[in-house]
Amino acid sequence: MRTSGATKISIRHGLAIALRGTPEQRVSPGNPIRTIGFDGADYAEIRSELLVGEGDAVAAGSPLFRDRKRRDIQFTAPVAGVIERIALGPRRRLASLEIRVGAGAAVRFATPAAFDRSGARQLLLESGLWTAIRLRPFGRIPDPGSLPDAIFVTAIDTSPLAADPRVALQDLRGVFARGIDLLGLLTDGPVFVCHGPGENLVAESPRIRCVQFAGPHPAGLPGTHIHRLLPVRPGRRVWQIHCQDVAAIGRLLESGEVPSERVISLAGPGVRRPRLLRVPAGSSLEDLVAGELQEGGMQILSGPVIAGRSSRFLGRHHWQITVLPEGQPRRRQGWLSSLLAIRQPEPVIPSEALEQALGLDLPVIPLLRALSVGDIETAERLGCLELLEEDLSLAKFAAGGGQDFPALLRSVLDSLESQA
């Protein structure tokens, strides 16, 4: 087994965003969580078929809802409790599902000593951990029968005030390696473990490749890694998954139970003691920040300052909570500028910050112009299939929030997906 040092890639472009409230990189227990929830914003493509009703008792790991079109894809309860509320949105899409946390059993899944591809896929589907995987292009949950050209594991986070993934994994290296091995069954291509400066997180092999990234944000985004190592283009599909979800797969293999907890950062200028917390997936933000905030009005975001959202619950693909004082200036030089500014579309004006914002070797200004006018063909030709909304958050920030480039990208991707 090859154990040489990782390939090293330095990202020169990007933006360093200074923000008070840097978290102490040490994991502490979080507040008691009374409610966890699923936010429909995380599952926009899913037409949900509910498997539970309000008032039902559920065990940790039991199925809650599934995709009507792809019934093998199901979403499971991270904790035991009682279904407190289910809200449906337009076209009966799930708006939210809430569980009041309580005592109860956990579902145990069969985890034989050896798996083939079919068995690995079935375990992830039954446990609900398949939903941790995102497909590029389009950012959807991949079809269970599909085979990616590569899998990218993200073990670096350069977002402002983020948790260091190495700290989150410090007691989980063994189960992380087991999760990597199982992922390797799901592709004939490489599994890239993308991490920050330091030693490899797993031993390399002919198909498990460790790649070290360094530089300002977006050096830690999966889109940056994919662009540098195996760019998405028509006919090529890759998957991405966060390192803590990989560790969850390993813990499932070890115990037979789906782990509920994740390590997140609670940080920002509105937090009394910015630090890392161990909390259940989908935790109520109200419960999570109780007694943790500075005096005065605060805005609480699930996710990083440049790409987070207001929500009642911790998002499925969010690994931090950012707390900002309300009433801060929202111009470009103010760090809240890119979040909530709602304006009429503005011209895309070239600037050095905008050119560097993506950190990718793409024609940034022409691409942003194509997105701003809805030129689908040009946007595809210029590389938009490589991108998801998180990749354009810095562009929105650098442009002062005048155009919502992430939303424009999503509109173009949806159009391309409908034509595929």
Side-chain angles (χ1 to χ4, degrees):
M1 179 171 288
R2 190 157 52 96
T3 58
S4 61
T7 301
K8 297 181 180 181
I9 297 177
S10 180
I11 304 300
R12 294 183 296 109
H13 296 309
L15 294 175
I17 300 175
L19 190 62
R20 290 185 297 108
T22 301
E24 179 186 9
Q25 295 292 327
R26 186 171 62 182
V27 181
S28 305
N31 287 331
I33 302 298
R34 298 170 297 175
T35 305
I36 69 98
F38 291 77
D39 189 329
D42 289 323
Y43 314 104
E45 81 273 24
I46 299 296
R47 292 289 300 276
S48 303
E49 178 183 350
L50 291 168
L51 304 175
V52 294
E54 293 181 355
D56 289 352
V58 295
S62 61
L64 302 174
F65 59 97
R66 63 188 175 195
D67 188 340
R68 285 183 181 273
K69 294 182 178 179
R70 302 175 295 174
R71 296 164 68 89
D72 287 345
I73 297 177
Q74 63 182 15
F75 301 80
T76 57
V79 297
V82 176
I83 304 298
E84 192 163 56
R85 183 172 180 268
I86 299 173
L88 298 177
R91 302 178 64 188
R92 296 189 60 79
R93 294 186 187 274
L94 184 72
S96 65
L97 185 150
E98 303 174 25
I99 300 175
R100 185 172 69 253
V101 179
V107 176
R108 292 192 64 84
F109 297 89
T111 55
F115 282 93
D116 58 12
R117 177 171 291 167
S118 176
R121 182 186 295 121
Q122 192 62 30
L123 176 65
L124 295 184
L125 288 166
E126 290 178 355
S127 66
L129 287 175
W130 185 269
T131 65
I133 304 169
R134 299 172 76 190
L135 165 71
R136 294 214 187 197
F138 309 128
R140 309 304 193 187
I141 298 168
D143 289 334
S146 61
L147 198 65
D149 294 288
I151 298 176
F152 286 79
V153 176
T154 308
I156 174 177
D157 196 338
T158 53
S159 299
L161 310 181
D164 182 349
R166 289 185 182 275
V167 176
L169 294 175
Q170 61 187 355
D171 298 322
L172 301 172
R173 296 284 284 272
V175 293
F176 177 70
R178 292 194 67 183
I180 292 290
D181 289 340
L182 186 135
L183 287 178
L185 298 174
L186 301 178
T187 179
D188 292 331
V191 177
F192 293 102
V193 181
C194 302
H195 61 83
E199 66 177 3
N200 291 354
L201 294 172
V202 293
E204 289 194 308
S205 71
R207 289 185 49 227
I208 297 174
R209 295 177 51 188
C210 294
V211 185
Q212 176 180 299
F213 282 83
H217 194 62
L221 289 182
T224 303
H225 309 155
I226 293 166
H227 175 75
R228 297 284 178 167
L229 297 170
L230 195 70
V232 172
R233 60 188 182 213
R236 177 178 286 170
R237 301 288 185 267
V238 302
W239 295 353
Q240 65 184 64
I241 183 171
H242 192 271
C243 61
Q244 289 197 56
D245 286 316
V246 177
I249 293 171
R251 292 172 67 189
L252 170 65
L253 294 172
E254 184 176 74
S255 69
E257 298 180 2
V258 180
S260 67
E261 294 184 326
R262 55 176 50 190
V263 173
I264 67 163
S265 164
L266 174 63
V271 179
R272 289 179 177 175
R273 289 195 305 131
R275 63 197 191 282
L276 309 188
L277 300 177
R278 195 181 307 277
V279 301
S283 290
S284 160
L285 268 58
E286 180 181 0
D287 294 343
L288 200 152
V289 304
E292 299 281 357
L293 305 186
Q294 304 278 7
E295 296 294 329
M298 297 291 164
Q299 183 178 16
I300 303 167
L301 302 175
S302 176
V305 64
I306 55 174
R309 66 172 186 252
S310 295
S311 174
R312 293 183 57 212
F313 303 105
L314 178 64
R316 176 63 183 87
H317 300 289
H318 290 160
W319 305 93
Q320 64 186 101
I321 301 299
T322 308
V323 183
L324 310 170
E326 291 183 342
Q328 293 287 339
R330 296 183 179 179
R331 301 182 183 276
R332 178 177 175 272
Q333 59 268 30
W335 33 258
L336 197 55
S337 63
S338 65
L339 296 177
L340 298 175
I342 301 175
R343 308 176 186 173
Q344 294 298 315
E346 298 176 357
V348 178
I349 301 174
S351 69
E352 183 178 358
L354 197 54
E355 289 277 6
Q356 296 184 358
L358 267 65
L360 308 177
D361 295 327
L362 293 175
V364 176
I365 299 302
L367 174 59
L368 296 180
R369 284 174 171 158
L371 293 175
S372 68
V373 298
D375 186 342
I376 296 172
E377 292 183 359
T378 300
E380 181 180 16
R381 178 170 52 82
L382 295 176
C384 77
L385 287 177
E386 290 192 33
L387 307 175
L388 295 181
E389 289 92 327
E390 63 196 29
D391 299 305
L392 292 189
S393 294
L394 270 178
K396 180 180 177 181
F397 179 86
Q403 293 219 50
D404 191 344
F405 292 118
L408 293 169
L409 172 66
R410 174 46 57 191
S411 178
V412 167
L413 290 177
D414 287 349
S415 296
L416 289 169
E417 186 178 24
S418 69
Q419 300 169 11

